[in-house]
Amino acid sequence: MKTNTLRKRILRRPLRRLHNRPNVTVHAGRTAETSVRIISWNLLHSIGAGVNDVVELIKLEQPDLLLMQEATAEIDRLPGLVGGYYARAPLPGRIHGVACWSRRPFSRAPRSCVIPSGPIVRRVAQIIRLPDLTVANVHLSHGQIMNRRQLRRLAAVLPLPAAILGDFNLVGPTLVPGFSDVGPRAPTHKMVDLVPIRLDRCLVRGASCEDCEVLPIFASDHRPIIVTLRPHMLTA
């Protein structure tokens, strides 16, 4: 029932042409400049989006990379249902954590990065290496000083070009030097089911955003965001 509702709500959107991706030659001393289509979605563990909802989203939106927050062991079935490459990093002491799915092989196995945490929930970020882009998948703390500290910690260790996506739990500007907030500006969550707020974001450094949108899906209390990022060419 939930998946059928999901399909109907996505199909109400106007159809968009998928980006054409021509073959790109890699020259000595620089990386190829190709666009990457990324979705980030907080699934709302246990009572929100399940693995079948995630499968439906992948089939309809065709992302290169899907980032998930509050992903449980149920989501580990994903590669068996749609193929691709997958990794999950549970938060310490919790049944859920951050997870990623990629259509193509990772450049190296995704790894967990410990970030500053509050006294209750210990946080980790998931670092994903793609051929032309390094991506951090995050579910940040609710404290407005702490979540900005977590972002600065990641900004200090990510190589160029880089992107940070996920549930920021952050209100107002991110205040991360060198990074631009390029994600959609529409609300992605309703605080206490009343106040629309933009918690799910995308920051980039050494890349630009060609397209972005908040998807109208309500299997979770968060709406997914989708961005198309183009890493900037680097010279030696």
Side-chain angles (χ1 to χ4, degrees):
M1 179 68 71
K2 185 191 297 182
T3 300
N4 290 337
T5 302
L6 175 68
R7 180 191 294 272
K8 289 176 182 177
R9 292 189 175 181
I10 296 178
L11 292 179
R12 287 174 185 166
R13 298 165 56 224
L15 294 175
R16 296 184 302 158
R17 181 176 59 84
L18 295 178
H19 292 284
N20 293 322
R21 304 215 181 116
N23 294 327
V24 179
T25 302
V26 180
H27 300 278
R30 61 183 180 179
T31 62
E33 191 175 2
T34 57
S35 60
V36 184
R37 186 174 171 86
I38 305 175
I39 291 177
S40 175
W41 192 14
N42 184 323
L43 304 179
L44 182 60
H45 73 87
S46 304
I47 61 173
V51 68
N52 291 330
D53 298 305
V54 176
V55 168
E56 198 68 22
L57 179 64
I58 289 172
K59 290 179 178 178
L60 290 168
E61 293 295 338
Q62 297 291 306
D64 298 307
L65 179 67
L66 171 62
L67 308 176
M68 293 161 279
Q69 303 85 45
E70 298 198 22
T72 62
E74 180 203 4
I75 307 301
D76 295 349
R77 296 168 48 207
L78 189 59
L81 297 172
V82 294
Y85 302 84
Y86 171 84
R88 184 169 64 93
L91 300 183
R94 301 277 166 160
I95 66 168
H96 62 85
V98 287
C100 61
W101 174 89
S102 175
R103 188 172 303 281
R104 300 176 183 85
F106 302 111
S107 293
R108 71 171 60 163
R111 61 184 177 89
S112 297
C113 175
V114 177
I115 55 178
S117 301
I120 299 176
V121 181
R122 289 179 291 167
R123 303 280 177 173
V124 297
Q126 192 176 41
I127 308 300
I128 301 133
R129 292 294 297 269
L130 304 177
D132 300 321
L133 184 69
T134 301
V135 180
N137 178 17
V138 301
H139 188 188
L140 302 180
S141 297
H142 290 83
Q144 298 302 294
I145 295 176
M146 178 58 72
N147 53 31
R148 288 171 171 84
R149 183 182 171 198
Q150 291 164 343
L151 286 172
R152 289 195 297 272
R153 160 68 175 163
L154 288 168
V157 300
L158 291 175
L160 283 171
I164 306 173
L165 293 94
D167 180 356
F168 283 23
N169 278 317
L170 186 148
V171 179
T174 58
L175 306 176
V176 183
F179 277 78
S180 301
D181 187 343
V182 299
R185 293 301 192 261
T188 62
H189 178 71
K190 281 192 177 180
M191 188 167 57
V192 296
D193 292 327
L194 292 173
V195 182
I197 193 169
R198 183 173 73 103
L199 296 183
D200 304 86
R201 304 203 188 182
C202 173
L203 303 182
V204 298
R205 179 176 62 187
S208 55
C209 183
E210 296 181 330
D211 191 22
C212 64
E213 185 181 358
V214 174
L215 300 178
I217 302 171
F218 303 94
S220 167
D221 62 341
H222 284 249
R223 295 170 64 184
I225 63 171
I226 183 167
V227 296
T228 302
L229 304 181
R230 181 173 291 275
H232 297 164
M233 192 172 292
L234 300 177
T235 57

